[in-house]
Amino acid sequence: MLLISLFLATLFLAYSNGANDNFKGVATLFGSRTSSYQTAILWATFTTFAGAVTATFLSRALIKNFSGKGLLPDAIANTPEFHLAVAIATGLTVLIATLIGFPISTTHSLTGALVGAGLVAIGLQVNFAALRTSFILPLLLSPIIAIPLGAGIYRLSGYINSKWHLPVNQKMIDTCHFISAGIVCFARGLNDTPKIVSLILIIEYFSIQGGMITIAIAMALGGLLNSQKVAITMSEKISSMNQIQGLSANIVTGVLVIAASRFGLPVSTTHVSVGSIFGVGLISKKSNPRVFYQILLSWILTLPIAAIISGITYRLLQG
């Protein structure tokens, strides 16, 4: 019964992840009116699924990071109760944010849930050094790097255009914009899927390949059915944008997330994409600091909320 519950809870988490995250890669397409909402979400679904399948071969390091091993003794990290508490807490945290319209990080939520259940299980014996090096630092650095890079890429494109007066080929720009959005979604599928799959691999029925495909399908459904509120926040509320601005933000997001996936670093696609859009908006003076600060507050609250839910759930499952 515990294993069945774990499987269902992990599917719930994958669905919530898709609802909150799938649209982030194509937010610039919709925000700049390069495409309709329907076209954007379909493109996001296809490319995210492709990234999830590719993760079977390229992102196995993240599976180990998010199984709880290294943070906790294997005897606890391998139990269904621990994984079930983490899946439920992460799924609820992400779904609540989705319903409100805040684009939060599933990576951040998973980290909080791992810590919350771990604290209940073994107290302060949780390996906080590993937590800081492998989880907290990459999460903090993501937006710090993305904001100036987004601003820099957009300013560079403006400088090149003013220097050489290059002819504007709108069709070429739109094509590159679509490709860049697809790359971001592909990178997100590559980076997020292994983190969720790590929760169900203690079920002997699942191979890594089978787990990846199952999670990818649930993520796709979440994005198709429940991403509207996050889409509005990402596309319109952080900053208004044109095609060049959207393309600049996507280039930064895609490069950073793919590099992180290759080296097993759990960066947040959310933090990177929001940071790059906000950075581009700063240069064009169209960003909305109030909305950005609200999103930043939701990021700060994500970890403790997930930790509290996970700790309570784990205690209830034990008792």
Side-chain angles (χ1 to χ4, degrees):
M1 180 60 73
L2 270 177
L3 293 179
I4 294 174
S5 298
L6 173 59
F7 173 67
L8 294 176
T10 305
L11 288 183
F12 166 65
L13 166 57
Y15 181 93
S16 299
N17 171 271
N20 195 277
D21 282 16
N22 273 17
F23 199 84
K24 292 167 185 173
V26 296
T28 59
L29 289 177
F30 181 50
S32 63
R33 296 302 183 260
T34 302
S35 78
S36 65
Y37 173 84
Q38 290 79 7
T39 300
I41 191 61
L42 287 174
W43 181 232
T45 302
F46 172 77
T47 49
T48 300
F49 189 86
V53 173
T54 306
T56 305
F57 308 100
L58 297 182
S59 301
R60 296 193 179 200
L62 288 174
I63 293 177
K64 181 181 178 182
N65 286 348
F66 283 85
S67 65
K69 295 178 180 179
L71 287 176
L72 310 163
D74 288 356
I76 295 173
N78 288 331
T79 61
E81 292 89 349
F82 179 80
H83 285 244
L84 180 56
V86 170
I88 291 173
T90 307
L92 282 174
T93 303
V94 175
L95 183 63
I96 291 168
T98 302
L99 295 176
I100 298 173
F102 283 121
I104 68 167
S105 166
T106 301
T107 305
H108 214 170
S109 302
L110 269 170
T111 302
L114 286 167
V115 173
L119 288 172
V120 171
I122 60 173
L124 295 178
Q125 297 178 49
V126 172
N127 187 347
F128 287 102
L131 178 70
R132 181 179 64 252
T133 303
S134 299
F135 295 86
I136 301 300
L137 283 179
L139 288 170
L140 289 176
L141 288 174
S142 300
I144 293 174
I145 295 173
I147 290 174
L149 275 181
I153 290 292
Y154 178 56
R155 185 178 286 277
L156 178 63
S157 67
Y159 172 79
I160 291 173
N161 186 50
S162 63
K163 186 78 172 177
W164 285 287
H165 302 288
L166 299 176
V168 176
N169 186 323
Q170 193 60 49
K171 186 174 182 180
M172 179 67 73
I173 291 174
D174 289 347
T175 300
C176 291
H177 196 175
F178 262 92
I179 293 172
S180 69
I183 290 173
V184 172
C185 293
F186 179 90
R188 196 195 73 75
L190 191 69
N191 195 265
D192 276 8
T193 310
K195 303 169 189 175
I196 301 174
V197 166
S198 65
L199 297 174
I200 59 171
L201 288 184
I202 61 171
I203 303 174
E204 293 183 1
Y205 174 78
F206 280 103
S207 63
I208 291 178
Q209 292 83 358
M212 293 283 192
I213 297 299
T214 303
I215 295 305
I217 292 172
M219 286 166 56
L221 287 174
L224 288 171
L225 299 178
N226 277 109
S227 63
Q228 292 88 345
K229 287 189 176 181
V230 171
I232 295 299
T233 300
M234 291 288 297
S235 301
E236 299 175 355
K237 293 184 177 181
I238 297 173
S239 174
S240 58
M241 67 190 90
N242 59 33
Q243 289 91 340
I244 299 295
Q245 292 161 350
L247 178 58
S248 300
N250 282 354
I251 289 172
V252 171
T253 303
V255 169
L256 286 180
V257 175
I258 288 177
S261 298
R262 181 65 185 87
F263 294 104
L265 296 174
V267 303
S268 165
T269 307
T270 302
H271 293 188
V272 173
S273 60
V274 170
S276 60
I277 290 172
F278 184 70
V280 166
L282 285 176
I283 297 300
S284 62
K285 298 181 179 180
K286 294 181 179 179
S287 60
N288 188 334
R290 180 171 172 271
V291 171
F292 181 75
Y293 294 144
Q294 289 175 344
I295 294 173
L296 189 62
L297 178 61
S298 74
W299 292 352
I300 294 170
L301 294 175
T302 295
L303 196 147
I305 290 173
I308 291 169
I309 297 174
S310 179
I312 293 173
T313 303
Y314 184 68
R315 178 61 72 197
L316 291 173
L317 290 170
Q318 281 184 317

